[in-house]
Amino acid sequence: MPPWVIPAIIAAVVVLLVIIIVVWAISVRNKFVTMRNANEEAFATIDVYLKKRYDLIPNLVETVKGYAKHESQTLENVIKARNNAASANTTAEKIEADANLSNAIRSFNIVAERYPELKANTNFQSLMAELRNIEGELANSRKYYNALVKSFNTMKDIFPKSIIAKWMKLEKFPYFELDSEEERKNVKVSF
């Protein structure tokens, strides 16, 4: 065997290993890009439902105002929470603002329960049905977003993919989760 064959085989193996590592790195990078875009798209879907919710709330508040004039503080809190949520910019701000708005809506629902004549109002009923529908869609969108976040954050933290994530300067996506203890409690139902 000529003396150049062994160095040629070693060089070929090294080149093949380098090619395999480069192809692997490119595929991992592309997977991260795909997952990041899916996370952003999922949060954009949540944003659409939040916008619908923000647009619906003033109509509900106006409907309730006529029936519950002395509940103005609760109504003002709902509008304030809605305005804060609508002006949030970052993902983290939107998650926090949404939690505050959910709390305000819960107190709004308590006010609405106190007025049987309001509950009989067809305009109020249709607005509340629309709000329930939006809340259901929001819940589904949050679940989907959180599933994508889990996959992304897990992939980002697993070695050796974490090397590519650091190279890409990827940050963890925040979960859309409940911030208040109030939201975690069981709902008390009494008749």
Side-chain angles (χ1 to χ4, degrees):
M1 185 176 343
W4 57 268
V5 172
I6 292 177
I9 292 172
I10 292 172
V13 168
V14 168
V15 168
L16 184 61
L17 283 175
V18 168
I19 290 172
I20 290 170
I21 290 171
V22 167
V23 168
W24 172 82
I26 289 170
S27 82
V28 169
R29 184 192 179 288
N30 289 343
K31 180 68 174 167
F32 274 126
V33 169
T34 301
M35 292 176 82
R36 181 183 59 208
N37 291 342
N39 280 322
E40 290 170 355
E41 185 270 335
F43 195 81
T45 300
I46 292 173
D47 243 0
V48 167
Y49 289 116
L50 291 175
K51 172 83 170 93
K52 282 182 169 181
R53 184 196 215 190
Y54 305 153
D55 292 346
L56 179 66
I57 288 171
N59 294 331
L60 271 169
V61 168
E62 287 303 314
T63 302
V64 173
K65 273 184 180 177
Y67 289 92
K69 289 182 171 62
H70 62 282
E71 302 282 3
S72 62
Q73 183 64 40
T74 301
L75 301 176
E76 287 171 17
N77 289 342
V78 170
I79 290 297
K80 181 180 174 188
R82 179 245 180 228
N83 291 340
N84 289 340
S87 65
N89 294 318
T90 67
T91 300
E93 287 174 356
K94 287 180 183 187
I95 290 171
E96 182 181 343
D98 178 63
N100 293 336
L101 181 56
S102 291
N103 287 336
I105 288 174
R106 224 178 324 294
S107 57
F108 176 82
N109 286 335
I110 291 168
V111 168
E113 288 293 318
R114 292 186 193 139
Y115 297 90
E117 66 277 4
L118 172 62
K119 290 193 304 186
N121 180 300
T122 46
N123 188 30
F124 178 77
Q125 287 176 346
S126 68
L127 290 170
M128 285 304 288
E130 192 174 338
L131 182 62
R132 276 190 294 280
N133 183 41
I134 290 170
E135 292 295 326
E137 294 294 335
L138 260 171
N140 290 334
S141 296
R142 288 177 188 137
K143 282 194 289 189
Y144 177 67
Y145 170 80
N146 282 343
L148 291 175
V149 166
K150 178 185 173 195
S151 296
F152 179 87
N153 289 346
T154 300
M155 185 172 157
K156 182 194 152 314
D157 290 340
I158 292 176
F159 182 81
K161 294 176 181 176
S162 60
I163 296 168
I164 304 297
K166 284 182 182 163
W167 173 69
M168 291 176 68
K169 296 181 174 93
L170 295 176
E171 299 289 325
K172 282 188 170 189
F173 276 89
Y175 283 102
F176 215 116
E177 56 192 356
L178 302 177
D179 284 338
S180 83
E181 285 301 314
E182 182 86 13
E183 291 180 66
R184 297 177 198 272
K185 292 180 183 174
N186 286 334
V187 178
K188 182 182 176 186
V189 178
S190 59
F191 296 98

